[in-house]
Amino acid sequence: LVFEVEKEVSTGGSSSERAVEAAKELCDGVELNYVREAGLQAQDPLAMAPIWKDLTGSTVNVIEMSYLDMYSNQLQDHLTGGGSYDVVDVSPLWMQDFVNAGVLEPLDPYMEQYMNMADLDDYLPVYSSEGVMKINGVTYGLFDDGDVFMLYYRKDLFEDPENQEEFQAQYGYELAPPETREQMFDAAEFFTNKYAPDLYGLAMQRLEGQAYSWFIGPFSGAGGEFFDEDMKAQINSEIGVQTLTEMVQQNTVMPPGVEKWGFMEILSSWMEGKTAMIITWPPIGRWGAGYGDTAKQMSWVPASTVKGQVGYMLQPGGRPTLAGGFNMGVSSDGANKECAYLFAQWMTSPDISLQRVMLPFSLRDPYRISHFESPLYRSAWPEAPEYLDKLQEATTGQWELGIPGAREYMEAIDNAVTAAYAGKDPQEAMDEAAGRWDDITERLGSDSQKAAYEQWEQNPWNRPGPTVEGQ
């Protein structure tokens, strides 16, 4: 596959065209510093920056840093005087903290001047809503990455007649792609018992730092609530403890040492055909199908041995985790705010963003209606329609907490999860996490936190529970 980003912009007053025309007048010779996560995440803007310069004369310098450093460095830069960055990448998890600290420039005036406002209707509502692009009704970011957890499974293993017969005999029901956590565990246990050590039934990222993401969706889908009406933590409820207990149990049917596995270990195991099921972010769903495997930026990815056998399912057990994602924002301290905004508008416009999410090496995932409906994307590989349909269906998931102190709250869950993996009693681990949540709430102010949480819950995708209501 050879995929080249088009240098032509569409006509008819599109947001991409408007951004380019304005930038020609305002931004020729201007340098912009754009923060991106180090590694493969940076390859997309590195590919786009020369095109932007050819079109407008403006240079974009891509500043790479780790995911965790993106939060602290961008926040610290503002608190110490700012000016190092022009375009910032902000997870919805951090938005409230960044807005409260004054890091982000309000974008509504720029949008009204430059954007084709009809393009806002092309965003899936889950991505353009309160707590994601907007805080208290003000737009501070243009959403740019449709992260959501999916289950990827081996069709050949599930459809094998011998496997089906043996599973039926052992478990008393038909072997099928799992819709519940119980069914997922049974299938994983069956495949592990039959095929290990050559193949294990299940693998998920367990490495400390983002382990909380695998807790949020199942907890919410089972009916868990983050806080009660008095803003007291509820993560150590019976549902919370059961969720963590199941996560520990799942490790018993995963590869040895999975407690230290990150994204790369999951990727390698899947591409090499050593796992029957994984739960992770969307890119592996494309790469496992062999999409883009000849791109030079993909040379580090193991060749897929499961091409043509990849099936797509929602994360079992209710609501998938809407895990991460990014907004493109404008630094309030930047010297070139208008040019920074125009670059962000161009990058996230319907036509340019489609090309970007289709780049084989991109870690940006579909987020616009036009992405999911694109004939070009839906013909990219044989199973692409199934992939896109399931991704869109999964956007009824649960956002990670997005109130002030969200990163601290999530770190407390992360510590509890990794402690339980190491042998700590799940009830004790969750009790400690809940105590830390209450301490965070008290420190930041219970009344103000309650008000922020009530505002955040106005977005139906933020509200915990088995289903999304009121969308």
Side-chain angles (χ1 to χ4, degrees):
L1 174 68
V2 177
F3 189 96
E4 295 183 357
V5 178
E6 297 292 338
K7 295 188 179 183
E8 298 297 326
V9 294
S10 61
T11 59
S14 69
S15 292
S16 60
E17 182 182 42
R18 293 182 184 190
V20 167
E21 291 306 311
K24 285 179 180 178
E25 299 295 325
L26 299 171
C27 308
D28 189 13
V30 170
E31 287 197 20
L32 300 173
N33 290 330
Y34 177 24
V35 175
R36 283 293 288 260
E37 185 178 355
L40 205 59
Q41 277 276 14
Q43 294 303 310
D44 156 29
L46 287 171
M48 303 303 295
I51 301 170
W52 177 251
K53 185 173 184 178
D54 287 347
L55 292 168
T56 68
S58 175
T59 299
V60 176
N61 302 313
V62 180
I63 310 299
E64 298 187 46
M65 57 187 71
S66 73
Y67 177 78
L68 295 179
D69 284 344
M70 290 173 71
Y71 176 88
S72 55
N73 290 356
Q74 292 179 113
L75 185 58
Q76 188 64 25
D77 179 65
H78 170 73
L79 297 176
T80 57
S84 299
Y85 315 122
D86 298 289
V87 185
V88 293
D89 246 18
V90 186
S91 170
L93 184 68
W94 315 333
M95 283 291 285
Q96 186 73 68
D97 284 344
F98 276 37
V99 169
N100 287 355
V103 176
L104 299 175
E105 180 80 1
L107 301 184
D108 296 286
Y110 302 107
M111 294 163 64
E112 292 168 5
Q113 182 174 358
Y114 294 114
M115 183 180 284
N116 181 341
M117 298 297 280
D119 289 347
L120 293 176
D121 296 331
D122 188 43
Y123 277 108
L124 287 176
V126 61
Y127 296 134
S128 61
S129 49
E130 178 66 32
V132 185
M133 282 173 52
K134 298 176 181 292
I135 300 294
N136 297 325
V138 178
T139 307
Y140 288 97
L142 299 179
F143 193 77
D144 192 41
D145 186 14
D147 276 345
V148 61
F149 281 164
M150 293 277 289
L151 181 138
Y152 305 97
Y153 67 93
R154 289 272 301 275
K155 290 182 177 180
D156 54 331
L157 294 174
F158 277 86
E159 295 171 1
D160 179 81
E162 182 178 297
N163 286 342
Q164 292 178 340
E165 181 179 351
E166 293 175 1
F167 184 90
Q168 175 77 50
Q170 293 179 38
Y171 293 90
Y173 65 94
E174 292 183 1
L175 176 64
E179 297 183 356
T180 68
R181 297 197 301 275
E182 293 78 13
Q183 291 171 356
M184 181 177 71
F185 183 83
D186 287 350
E189 183 180 57
F190 170 77
F191 288 124
T192 295
N193 288 342
K194 181 173 181 177
Y195 292 107
D198 297 323
L199 177 142
Y200 290 84
L202 182 66
M204 286 182 262
Q205 185 170 320
R206 295 312 207 198
L207 185 66
E208 184 177 6
Q210 287 184 311
Y212 60 84
S213 294
W214 280 261
F215 175 88
I216 296 298
F219 172 70
S220 175
E225 296 283 345
F226 293 132
F227 299 97
D228 66 13
E229 59 183 12
D230 296 319
M231 207 58 189
K232 293 296 184 181
Q234 297 298 295
I235 55 171
N236 62 333
S237 64
E238 182 179 348
I239 293 173
V241 174
Q242 179 62 28
T243 300
L244 181 53
T245 300
E246 289 180 4
M247 292 171 70
V248 174
Q249 182 189 35
Q250 289 162 3
N251 291 352
T252 65
V253 294
M254 295 191 199
V258 73
E259 295 85 359
K260 299 296 183 182
W261 277 28
F263 180 79
M264 288 302 301
E265 288 80 9
I266 298 297
L267 172 62
S268 296
S269 177
W270 179 247
M271 300 291 274
E272 293 170 2
K274 295 180 179 180
T275 44
M277 297 177 287
I278 58 172
I279 293 177
T280 190
W281 288 281
I284 291 182
R286 305 190 296 266
W287 299 341
Y291 177 67
D293 56 7
T294 61
K296 64 179 182 180
Q297 292 91 341
M298 296 286 287
S299 60
W300 61 276
V301 176
S304 176
T305 64
V306 296
K307 184 177 180 180
Q309 300 296 342
V310 180
Y312 309 100
M313 287 282 292
L314 272 64
Q315 182 179 0
R319 297 176 66 183
T321 305
L322 298 167
F326 285 105
N327 288 307
M328 288 187 70
V330 174
S331 169
S332 63
D333 305 303
N336 301 288
K337 298 177 187 178
E338 202 157 8
C339 294
Y341 169 77
L342 291 169
F343 176 67
Q345 176 176 301
W346 181 73
M347 289 278 279
T348 59
S349 63
D351 51 341
I352 299 301
S353 65
L354 173 62
Q355 297 181 56
R356 292 175 53 232
V357 298
M358 285 193 65
L359 287 169
F361 50 85
S362 177
L363 292 188
R364 292 311 214 219
D365 301 305
Y367 56 88
R368 286 185 174 274
I369 295 170
S370 57
H371 297 165
F372 293 100
E373 295 180 350
S374 166
L376 183 63
Y377 206 159
R378 296 181 75 84
S379 62
W381 69 93
E383 299 84 16
E386 178 188 356
Y387 169 79
L388 291 168
D389 289 345
K390 287 296 182 181
L391 277 184
Q392 188 168 6
E393 185 180 351
T395 58
T396 55
Q398 171 68 55
W399 280 109
E400 296 164 342
L401 196 62
I403 63 174
R407 188 182 181 198
E408 292 184 76
Y409 287 115
M410 293 298 98
E411 284 177 346
I413 293 181
D414 198 87
N415 292 340
V417 170
T418 52
Y421 291 161
K424 195 166 194 171
D425 177 69
Q427 180 73 65
E428 184 181 354
M430 293 312 298
D431 285 344
E432 290 183 5
R436 186 175 168 192
W437 272 40
D438 290 340
D439 290 342
I440 297 167
T441 300
E442 183 177 352
R443 189 186 79 243
L444 296 178
S446 181
D447 290 343
S448 62
Q449 288 296 91
K450 183 177 181 179
Y453 184 63
E454 289 174 349
Q455 175 72 20
W456 184 73
E457 279 198 305
Q458 290 181 17
N459 178 348
W461 291 274
N462 293 343
R463 194 176 308 124
T467 60
V468 178
E469 297 178 359
Q471 26 178 325

